[in-house]
Amino acid sequence: MIILDTKKDYKNHIDILKFNGEIISLVPTMGNLHDGHLSLVKIAKKNSSKVITTIFVNPLQFGKNEDFASYPRTMNQDISKLKQLNCDILFAPKTKNEVFNNIDNLKNLEAGPKGNILCGKIRPGHFDGVLKVIYMLFQLTQPDLSVFGLKDFQQLYLIKRMAKMYFPKLKIISAPTIRTKNGLALSSRNSYLDKKSMKIAPVFYKILLDGVINLKNSNDVEKTVNYIKTNLEKNSFLVNYVSFLTTKLEKIKLNTPDKKILLSSVKLGQTRLIDNVEFS
Ligand code: AMP
């Protein structure tokens, strides 16, 4: 695996890959790689001839009081995991200038109203920061395809919309959420959970699954949202939001063939968890 940490070296390698007619896939991450991330690399591997993974803890997507400084950084372990999967290139920019030296050009790139609901409401500016880094990585790499996880459904939706507009030839692949045996969605932030919280955390997904069944039986969105919130609170979760929407992040209409989704974010102690369940 070739490891690069400057924009200049990265660009040179991309030029060679392009010249050789490779099909390039890009897997952007913030590192502390777990089996969820690795599943994206495996999907990329199956669908392209060269896989590039990026590791960059993007300061623009963290709020002032968030965990940018303490976000887990485990570069050596990450490198071994990527090598085992035969990832071709790792781009791990050594400073934020390697990614954002033209940041002023991006000042109009904003996530808009659908970036201000759900996670965007509790993390103002978060998705503007996400779109900026992903835009820069797409622009630098000009990949043929890029893989993102359905766990971060709102992020995936906004990236797909941005890509359609600015990188129309780029294919975005949505990857299923990888979970522990008892249903907890893998996340780098799970490492913040202590033993007791690790036992409670899987209940989050179980409550969401039960919520979808409840909606199907009751046909009453408001009642079901309250039912889910009560269940979450009973199990020590502090609710950030519980929301039933269409998969276009629009108001849900029951008894239609639209694809629907239940999205939720909670806090368990100081740790934020997000998850979702798609249904029709
Ligand atoms: P992050 O490092 O948290 O920015 O995540 C990088 C990519 O991995 C994003 O596309 C995430 O949606 C994806 N991802 C994170 N957790 C999981 C998971 N449990 N299963 C599948 N993909 C995931």
Side-chain angles (χ1 to χ4, degrees):
M1 183 171 73
I2 300 167
I3 303 174
L4 304 163
D5 64 2
T6 68
K7 188 175 175 172
K8 190 163 163 266
D9 289 346
Y10 185 57
K11 196 80 200 107
N12 285 340
H13 273 82
I14 296 291
D15 288 346
I16 296 167
L17 298 185
K18 291 272 168 198
F19 182 77
N20 291 342
E22 304 286 0
I23 298 168
I24 301 174
S25 58
L26 182 74
V27 181
T29 79
M30 296 205 298
N32 189 234
L33 302 181
H34 51 63
D35 285 350
H37 297 114
L38 300 180
S39 75
L40 311 190
V41 177
K42 287 179 192 160
I43 292 172
K45 206 75 206 158
K46 276 197 190 128
N47 288 281
S48 64
S49 58
K50 292 287 172 192
V51 177
I52 302 170
T53 302
T54 65
I55 295 182
F56 178 57
V57 185
N58 169 29
L60 292 190
Q61 70 188 70
F62 287 79
K64 264 191 199 143
N65 299 319
E66 290 187 357
D67 54 344
F68 174 72
S70 58
Y71 195 84
R73 289 160 171 88
T74 51
M75 190 57 85
N76 290 340
Q77 288 102 303
D78 292 353
I79 289 173
S80 329
K81 289 178 184 174
L82 290 173
K83 279 185 178 166
Q84 272 180 22
L85 292 184
N86 292 322
C87 174
D88 298 284
I89 294 181
L90 167 63
F91 179 44
K94 62 177 175 191
T95 65
K96 72 175 193 203
N97 284 346
E98 299 296 336
V99 181
F100 288 131
N101 61 339
N102 296 328
I103 185 84
D104 282 350
N105 299 346
L106 295 183
K107 60 176 180 287
N108 295 327
L109 182 69
E110 286 180 354
K114 285 185 183 172
N116 296 330
I117 57 172
L118 308 169
C119 283
K121 196 166 175 187
I122 53 169
R123 307 183 70 189
H126 168 67
F127 289 114
D128 297 340
V130 169
L131 289 189
K132 285 184 166 80
V133 74
I134 299 297
Y135 180 98
M136 289 311 287
L137 292 171
F138 284 171
Q139 202 179 48
L140 259 177
T141 313
Q142 299 292 328
D144 296 282
L145 59 103
S146 189
V147 192
F148 293 87
L150 280 159
K151 184 188 74 103
D152 301 284
F153 187 87
Q154 188 179 12
Q155 165 175 286
L156 176 60
Y157 174 89
L158 294 167
I159 289 171
K160 271 190 176 163
R161 199 186 58 181
M162 182 271 283
K164 205 170 171 187
M165 194 173 215
Y166 296 107
F167 304 91
K169 287 190 204 147
L170 168 58
K171 184 174 170 197
I172 304 290
I173 299 184
S174 314
T177 302
I178 304 298
R179 302 175 179 281
T180 61
K181 271 191 205 128
N182 47 15
L184 174 65
L186 298 187
S187 162
S188 303
R189 289 193 171 92
N190 291 353
S191 63
Y192 299 153
L193 296 169
D194 60 21
K195 250 190 179 170
K196 193 174 154 217
S197 302
M198 270 309 273
K199 279 198 177 147
I200 302 169
V203 178
F204 180 31
Y205 182 54
K206 293 195 176 87
I207 291 176
L208 297 187
L209 289 174
D210 174 62
V212 170
I213 294 169
N214 187 282
L215 179 69
K216 288 188 175 173
N217 291 333
S218 73
N219 243 1
D220 185 328
V221 175
E222 209 184 307
K223 235 181 173 174
T224 305
V225 166
N226 286 334
Y227 166 79
I228 297 169
K229 282 184 177 167
T230 308
N231 261 348
L232 288 168
E233 280 157 9
K234 258 195 235 159
N235 283 279
S236 321
F237 297 103
L238 193 85
V239 177
N240 289 321
Y241 62 80
V242 170
S243 190
F244 282 103
L245 294 174
T246 70
T247 49
K248 292 181 179 153
L249 301 185
E250 284 160 356
K251 196 171 178 321
I252 191 171
K253 277 191 217 127
L254 297 178
N255 310 315
T256 65
D258 295 349
K259 281 192 182 162
K260 304 170 188 71
I261 185 161
L262 167 60
L263 302 127
S264 182
S265 161
V266 294
K267 267 183 114 176
L268 185 55
Q270 290 307 305
T271 307
R272 192 179 47 244
L273 306 174
I274 64 168
D275 209 339
N276 62 70
V277 180
E278 278 187 67
F279 62 102
S280 49

